[in-house]
Amino acid sequence: MGFVFFDTETTGLRHGFDQIVHFAAIRTDNDLNETNRFEVRSRLLPHVVPHPLALLTNRLTIEQLSDGTLPSHYDMVRAIQRTLLAWSPSIFVGYNSIRFDEEMLRHALFQTLHPAYLTSNNGNCRADALGLVMAAATLSPACLVVPLGPEGRPTFRLDQLTSANDLTHDQAHDAMADAVATLGLCRLVRERAPELWQRFIRFSKKATVGDFVESEDGFFLTEFFNNQAYHAPVVCLGLDPDQPNGRLCLRLDVPPEELASMPEEALQSYLSAKPSPVRRLRINASPTLTAFYDAPDIMLNGADIAELEDRARRLKEDVAFRSRIISLYVALREPYAPSLHVEGQIYDGFLGPADERRIADFHEVSWLDALSIVRHLDDERLRIFGRRLIYLGGRSVLPSDLKVVVERDLTDRLVDKAAGNFTLQQALQETERLLNGDRIDTDGILAGYRTYLIDRISRVTEFRAREFAAETG
């Protein structure tokens, strides 16, 4: 199985509300030799307002994002989906991708009526190079040069890390340049720390992670906070009842008999401590795991492996106590609050097989026939996104009542904070704050964006007053 190294540039950081404007990917063989590459851009969706900091970071002007010769967002996602399916099965790797780029891609697919989990279905696996380089810096420090930030702490910013390791990275925050840089870092780790690289590949596979955490008599779970690695000896308690891919693990700091003898209130207090002794991992998110017998001294920190293994075995044998801990821990968690906005509801249920067939057909028919398909979708989320796609691509087929519904919905997102989006007015305020601060706007990106926002606010206000006057009159 080969690899796909990919990156996205976006209008901001909010999954579901911001959009991808530049996607790039490099396909390699198993030895990280490049075999193909792909990139595509899209113009700005009319209901998405970029954050000015995103424009500065990506060095994109609002004129570039509004370029009518660029593909639509829908056409861009269609091209991404076709390419990535053609490159499947592969191991998909990005830099901080599982927390960010993967989420942006999932939402883009979902909102354009495609199956959202492309990189974890279709025989694919996924892994995150940020976790790999952080693990390398801790477990194999000679592998990479890790630069220090202003406060003297390690920094893992991609542009600084590549510079410190003499890798070419001329255009940081360009999707293709960042994908090339990520591939370069992975090549260094593969060459200089082959055991760590093999473990990285091994735990990119969901089934392998599941087998490992369930069969091992304890292991080290490495988590990263503020660019620091924390190694916890844990044992898997069992499934997270709220997440099929989640596993709940318990730190092995305290002998199980001591925990079992605690009164209910004391045990609840122990489990609710911060950080919690119960650690949650996702078997489909490429966690950093180390068997006890492979653990270096930096992980052991003087711990007695035999004692840790014995504690783990005793906990695994006590099924009733493990169930008790899971029940108490789950009861202490904040209940899940569904999003009020359709953009935030991607994880509020899987699609039924009938809707899966319908959305596959949606992309193969005329806009008029697509409208008929949308009317028959069972999932309300899909109906909303389907109407948006038809409005943006073939609005003439929408009856007037549906057209008004979509226009109200989309323009609400431009002017009303309660609709969930970053609004035009918020963007203007933030742009003016940056212009009046110490930000250097040498390329005129902020000044041009300010002019655009003022004009757009005026035009949207006039449009709403004209089109929705009957509703407010």
Side-chain angles (χ1 to χ4, degrees):
M1 182 184 291
F3 296 84
V4 174
F5 293 85
F6 73 102
D7 188 73
T8 65
E9 302 303 332
T10 68
T11 59
L13 302 177
R14 301 184 63 202
H15 307 150
F17 295 92
D18 281 299
Q19 74 169 91
I20 297 172
V21 293
H22 186 195
F23 179 93
I26 300 171
R27 189 186 191 190
T28 76
D29 61 19
N30 190 52
D31 295 322
L32 302 188
N33 299 305
E34 181 178 337
T35 60
N36 210 339
R37 64 172 57 189
F38 164 80
E39 70 177 311
V40 63
R41 298 177 184 270
S42 98
R43 63 180 180 267
L44 191 64
L45 283 164
H47 60 284
V48 172
V49 181
H51 197 288
L53 285 176
L55 301 184
L56 290 176
T57 299
N58 299 330
R59 296 189 300 279
L60 290 172
T61 66
I62 191 62
E63 289 78 16
Q64 289 173 299
L65 291 179
S66 305
D67 183 353
T69 65
L70 288 173
S72 68
H73 179 261
Y74 175 67
D75 287 339
M76 178 191 71
V77 178
R78 292 285 290 148
I80 293 171
Q81 192 249 8
R82 285 193 300 268
T83 301
L84 298 189
L85 280 181
W87 289 359
S88 300
S90 293
I91 299 173
F92 283 79
V93 182
Y95 199 82
N96 193 33
S97 53
I98 287 180
R99 289 187 177 183
F100 184 72
D101 301 87
E102 288 266 2
E103 290 298 317
M104 295 299 296
L105 180 57
R106 282 184 173 183
H107 281 85
L109 290 165
F110 188 60
Q111 293 184 20
T112 53
L113 302 194
H114 295 93
Y117 304 100
L118 188 156
T119 61
S120 50
N121 292 335
N122 310 294
N124 295 317
C125 306
R126 58 192 194 134
D128 197 322
L130 176 59
L132 173 68
V133 298
M134 284 185 167
T138 303
L139 305 177
S140 184
C143 176
L144 294 172
V145 177
V146 179
L148 300 179
E151 298 178 356
R153 301 180 63 181
T155 178
F156 291 91
R157 282 185 49 178
L158 183 59
D159 57 340
Q160 296 184 22
L161 198 60
T162 51
S163 176
N165 288 276
D166 298 322
L167 293 171
T168 301
H169 193 190
D170 297 329
Q171 292 179 279
H173 302 294
D174 171 89
M176 183 56 76
D178 287 356
V180 170
T182 301
L183 172 56
L185 287 172
C186 288
R187 284 172 172 158
L188 287 182
V189 176
R190 180 179 183 270
E191 175 186 344
R192 299 172 181 176
E195 290 185 4
L196 188 62
W197 175 252
Q198 289 303 319
R199 194 182 311 163
F200 177 69
I201 296 174
R202 179 187 177 194
F203 291 132
S204 70
K205 301 173 177 66
K206 180 173 74 170
T208 302
V209 176
D211 290 343
F212 176 86
V213 300
E214 290 162 14
S215 62
E216 286 290 314
D217 286 333
F219 53 91
F220 278 99
L221 170 64
T222 301
E223 298 174 288
F224 304 96
F225 302 101
N226 297 321
N227 290 345
Q228 296 290 319
Y230 297 87
H231 314 287
V234 300
V235 63
C236 181
L237 298 172
L239 295 173
D240 183 339
D242 296 332
Q243 168 52 258
N245 289 313
R247 299 294 183 272
L248 298 179
C249 303
L250 180 69
R251 289 184 61 108
L252 295 169
D253 306 305
V254 179
E257 293 78 15
E258 184 177 329
L259 293 176
S261 66
M262 286 183 180
E264 203 81 349
E265 187 174 328
L267 186 56
Q268 283 181 328
S269 178
Y270 175 74
L271 296 177
S272 62
K274 302 294 182 185
S276 173
V278 176
R279 311 308 303 163
R280 179 177 173 270
L281 64 84
R282 289 184 295 153
I283 62 173
N284 65 337
S286 187
T288 301
L289 311 173
T290 307
F292 282 151
Y293 55 80
D294 281 334
D297 290 342
I298 193 172
M299 279 188 179
L300 296 176
N301 196 26
D304 184 335
I305 288 295
E307 173 61 22
L308 292 176
E309 288 180 331
D310 187 54
R311 290 181 181 181
R313 277 193 294 268
R314 298 202 302 273
L315 274 165
K316 291 187 78 169
E317 290 167 359
D318 194 339
V319 177
F321 183 56
R322 283 194 287 121
S323 297
R324 179 184 170 206
I325 294 176
I326 290 174
S327 296
L328 287 173
Y329 173 75
V330 171
L332 291 167
R333 290 200 295 207
E334 291 290 329
Y336 171 72
S339 174
L340 298 175
H341 312 295
V342 67
E343 294 88 349
Q345 295 171 6
I346 186 172
Y347 297 117
D348 288 3
F350 292 106
L351 306 187
D355 273 356
E356 288 182 343
R357 290 191 296 271
R358 291 171 184 135
I359 63 173
D361 293 339
F362 176 92
H363 309 288
E364 307 301 327
V365 300
S366 68
W367 287 120
L368 185 60
D369 290 336
L371 177 59
S372 176
I373 290 172
V374 167
R375 291 184 188 276
H376 289 90
L377 288 166
D378 297 322
D379 194 311
E380 173 63 16
R381 298 170 298 174
L382 299 181
R383 290 199 294 272
I384 293 172
F385 292 135
R387 290 195 295 265
R388 285 186 190 177
L389 291 173
I390 295 169
Y391 178 83
L392 297 174
R395 74 186 69 184
S396 62
V397 308
L398 285 176
S400 57
D401 59 333
L402 275 185
K403 186 177 176 183
V404 170
V405 168
V406 177
E407 288 174 344
R408 166 66 79 180
D409 175 50
L410 296 184
T411 58
D412 277 352
R413 280 154 173 74
L414 296 173
V415 302
D416 186 357
K417 289 186 291 186
N421 274 41
F422 189 56
T423 67
L424 292 166
Q425 191 63 47
Q426 287 175 313
L428 179 59
Q429 291 170 354
E430 182 63 13
T431 301
E432 290 181 332
R433 185 187 70 79
L434 292 169
L435 282 168
N436 294 328
D438 56 4
R439 281 279 180 172
I440 300 175
D441 187 28
T442 53
D443 297 325
I445 291 175
L446 292 177
Y449 192 38
R450 180 181 183 276
T451 300
Y452 164 87
L453 289 168
I454 292 171
D455 177 65
R456 190 90 195 278
I457 288 170
S458 174
R459 288 189 292 112
V460 170
T461 301
E462 291 175 4
F463 176 85
R464 286 168 64 87
R466 181 178 68 251
E467 297 297 324
F468 309 138
E471 297 179 26
T472 58

